[in-house]
Amino acid sequence: MDYFSELFVGGLTRGSIYALIALGYTMVYGIIELINFAHGEIYMIGAFTALIVASVLTMSGMSGLSVLVLASVVAVIYSAAYGFTVEKVAYKPLRQASRLSPLISAIGMSIFLQNYVLLAQTPDFLPFPNLLPELTILEPYTGLIGSTEFIIIVSTAVIMVLLTLLIRYTRMGKAMRATAQDRNMAMLVGVNVNRVASNTFIIGSVLAAIGGILIASHIGRINFYIGFIAGIKAFTAAVLGGIGSIPGAVLGALVLGFTESFGTGYVSSDYEDAFAFILLILILIFKPSGLLGHTTSQKV
Amino acid sequence: MLKKIITSLCTLCILFTVASGVLAAEPIKIGALLAVTGPPSFLGDPERNTAVMLETQINNAGGINGRTLKVIIYDTQGDATKAVQAANRLIKDDNVSAIIGPSTTGETMAVIPIVEAAGVPLISCAAGIKITEPTKKWVFKTAQNDSLAVERIYDHLKKRNINKIAILTVSDGFGSSGREQLKLKAESFGITIVSDEIYGPKDTDMTAQIVKIRGSKAQALICWGTNPGPATIARNAKQLGLTMPLYMSHGVSSKKFIELAGDASEGIILPSGRVIVAHMLPKSDKQKKSLLAYVNNYKKHYNVGGDHFGGHAWDAVMLLKGAIERGGDAPDAIRKELENTRNFRGIGGIFNFSPQDHAGLTKDAFVLVTIKNGNWTLVK
């Protein structure tokens, strides 16, 4: 396999990983205009829950797909509960406050959750078993792409499509869009804004938990800090693509992944992070709202 | 009523302090600056455990020259500022005779000016070559130099007729020191570095670097980093089907690495202190007795075998014990006796200190090990 396609697949995997988390960031921002810094932590909690459940199930003799399904279900439900609670505790009381207050509250929530897991679990790295099945169809391509990476890329695409459909065509999506456009007006026409906010957070947390399981299976280790690290790159990707735009988040993440992969491959690994952030600065200079962001006219 | 209880308790306390003060001579106090928590806790935690274990053990056996040993431990969290504060406290408030630690090279470099000015012997548990080169009057160290590890690996590469290599180092203190040594020593072994890549300490995917290395003419890959980065590299290399032999540094010579890298760790070769393969060593090995005693003792106290890093603290405490037994606990006497230490059979190797050499080890301090069936094996 030639050098270019190897780097291409590497960049695609990296980009999809960033996108999995960026989707949650951007969706919450698009609907309630809040940067949920605790999103990375929900991802981390999802991965921890999956690890705990998977370990218990494996010890009790279960194996393969049933472990994956059960661990995912528990992790998704548990993370959704976290997302719901975080919104109720940290953001809802600040709905009418100035925009800075919920931002600070979000950072506080993020720090709190990190330290809570640090104390309740361990400060050390834990090995994470690969819960995803080995796909035999990919055997001719060994050395280019593994099953785990393939599943991550496909899942990202599927989640992006589903999320777009949900927001465009369902009743809940319509309510979300109405809230995004004008919260007061939406309330006047009978949209339950509180429920919309809760739903947004629950969906965001479900995405984070799925991301947690997929990415932890790929990396093979977790600790309390992974959410923060994943969050930085995902947030960059969301801004790059235009925060609030769902296809934008995926596009931004892929651009970031490809830049890092090709930058390392063709220039030097010394500047891996520099490439990504130079690109971010350039894009924001020429297109301040990001690649696919809308330039909203000032509200009167 | 409560007041009375408190008063009587206080009185009892005072009585006991006076009584014990009368019974025993003033204890010998040594300080320890260890990164028990924080990112380098994988170093500081076993070091602390070892120091505490030795303190009890030495005191149960009657102390040093009949005086009890007191180890005062401060957690530096791997932070140079905290290490400096704690060092000042040890010297000024606690009046210690000597200090062991800090755990990392960065912290040690920060503490050196303080101990040099105060004239207190310091035995660092960190590996950086800068600590004892050039030699400083009051500073010693027990961890093996990076350069010795590099020489071990290059020796082995030469035996296998490999002369074109790729290196992949982490962009922190440990990695850049290793990178420097790898480049410095390559020429004298007739080795060319054809690909020189780095990765960030927090990176979670190194496939781009490995793809690039695979595309170069390298016959082997040497990776220099501490957990968890190298585990990711091992997994990425396996996923990409990298066929060249993979070497790692002594920075991952703990069980955690095998745990994190899983199957991908099979066949990786790395230099390590003898401690992780203690039971496999031949009977003729001079260190075997110390090593087995340490590993088993540690296991009894903490339920896991003693490791490479805890060994640095073992060496530091035992070197001090020897020096104090011979010359008393005045700081200057300790320094002189440390410099006179010959043939000390420790965990990290056989130490021979001198006024010119405060590191005391040769490349024999390292053995090459490989990972087979999830466990360490000696490379013949």
Side-chain angles (χ1 to χ4, degrees), chain A residues 82-142:
Chain A
Y82 259 95
F84 178 79
T85 320
V86 165
E87 197 269 336
K88 285 279 176 282
V89 171
Y91 307 137
K92 194 181 168 214
L94 297 171
R95 192 83 33 92
Q96 305 304 328
S98 76
R99 290 186 64 175
L100 200 58
S101 310
L103 197 71
I104 301 295
S105 177
I107 295 172
M109 207 63 210
S110 158
I111 297 173
F112 168 76
L113 288 175
Q114 271 177 34
N115 285 283
Y116 161 66
V117 174
L118 165 79
L119 292 173
Q121 296 294 327
T122 162
D124 213 350
F125 277 99
L126 294 172
F128 194 95
N130 194 343
L131 298 174
L132 304 175
E134 227 21 79
L135 300 176
T136 38
I137 357 162
L138 288 173
E139 242 157 56
Y141 305 102
T142 0

Side-chain angles (χ1 to χ4, degrees), chain A residues 3 6-7 10 14 124-127 143 149 217-221 225 229 261 264-265 267-270 272, chain B residues 179 196-198 202-209 211-212 214 228-229 232 235-236 239-241 256 259-260:
Chain A
Y3 193 52
E6 282 169 349
L7 290 177
R14 240 185 233 214
D124 213 350
F125 277 99
L126 294 172
E149 291 68 38
S217 286
H218 166 70
I219 303 173
R221 59 181 152 83
Y225 206 55
I229 300 203
S261 186
T264 302
V267 192
S268 162
S269 48
D270 284 289
E272 190 183 276
Chain B
R179 188 187 191 189
D196 172 12
E197 301 298 321
I198 66 161
K202 285 170 188 154
D203 286 1
T204 49
D205 181 286
M206 286 71 147
T207 42
Q209 286 93 327
V211 164
K212 197 174 174 190
R214 187 168 57 179
T232 308
R235 292 176 77 104
N236 287 163
Q239 168 209 331
L240 290 171
K256 196 85 205 171
E259 219 177 277
L260 291 176

Side-chain angles (χ1 to χ4, degrees), chain B residues 36-300:
Chain B
V36 180
T37 61
S41 63
F42 68 100
L43 302 168
D45 189 52
E47 286 164 359
R48 189 259 325 260
N49 289 345
T50 306
V52 172
M53 179 182 93
L54 284 178
E55 184 187 16
T56 333
Q57 204 175 309
I58 290 171
N59 287 335
N60 285 346
I64 303 177
N65 295 341
R67 292 166 69 190
T68 49
L69 173 72
K70 194 166 178 236
V71 185
I72 303 165
I73 301 172
Y74 292 130
D75 179 11
T76 63
Q77 301 173 12
D79 182 337
T81 319
K82 294 204 174 90
V84 167
Q85 286 167 351
N88 277 320
R89 218 167 122 197
L90 282 175
I91 294 168
K92 294 189 182 125
D93 301 344
D94 301 318
N95 287 317
V96 295
S97 310
I99 298 173
I100 66 168
S103 310
T104 66
T105 304
E107 293 169 277
T108 307
M109 296 313 285
V111 166
I112 284 174
I114 299 166
V115 297
E116 285 286 305
V120 173
L122 177 89
I123 306 186
S124 172
C125 297
I129 194 164
K130 294 174 285 185
I131 297 170
T132 50
E133 252 168 57
T135 308
K136 290 148 196 92
K137 194 175 173 195
W138 296 94
V139 182
F140 299 79
K141 78 186 187 70
T142 53
Q144 303 92 334
N145 279 336
D146 310 340
S147 57
L148 304 179
V150 170
E151 283 171 24
R152 261 286 165 187
I153 294 179
Y154 281 176
D155 263 348
H156 195 247
L157 290 175
K158 248 174 98 180
K159 254 188 236 162
R160 295 173 81 173
N161 280 324
I162 291 175
N163 48 30
K164 289 195 182 62
I165 58 160
I167 62 174
L168 178 53
T169 56
V170 61
S171 59
D172 64 12
F174 182 76
S176 44
S177 171
R179 188 187 191 189
E180 219 177 281
Q181 293 300 323
L182 283 164
K183 284 178 165 173
L184 199 75
K185 301 258 172 215
E187 205 180 334
S188 58
F189 283 85
I191 285 169
T192 337
I193 296 172
V194 290
S195 181
D196 172 12
E197 301 298 321
I198 66 161
Y199 69 92
K202 285 170 188 154
D203 286 1
T204 49
D205 181 286
M206 286 71 147
T207 42
Q209 286 93 327
I210 293 171
V211 164
K212 197 174 174 190
I213 286 165
R214 187 168 57 179
S216 73
K217 291 207 165 60
Q219 297 160 292
L221 168 60
I222 302 178
C223 158
W224 215 265
T226 48
N227 284 330
T232 308
I233 291 171
R235 292 176 77 104
N236 287 163
K238 193 187 174 209
Q239 168 209 331
L240 290 171
L242 191 80
T243 46
M244 63 179 86
L246 183 51
Y247 288 80
M248 296 264 172
S249 72
H250 51 304
V252 294
S253 70
S254 67
K255 257 281 156 59
K256 196 85 205 171
F257 173 68
I258 302 183
E259 219 177 277
L260 291 176
D263 291 347
S265 66
E266 290 292 304
I268 288 173
I269 300 172
L270 55 115
S272 165
R274 286 176 164 73
V275 65
I276 55 174
V277 286
H279 56 283
M280 285 175 219
L281 293 168
K283 275 217 176 77
S284 57
D285 193 281
K286 286 175 185 160
Q287 280 172 262
K288 189 165 184 172
K289 219 176 109 196
S290 310
L291 289 169
L292 281 179
Y294 170 58
V295 171
N296 294 334
N297 216 335
Y298 197 96
K299 191 156 206 163
K300 216 164 65 196

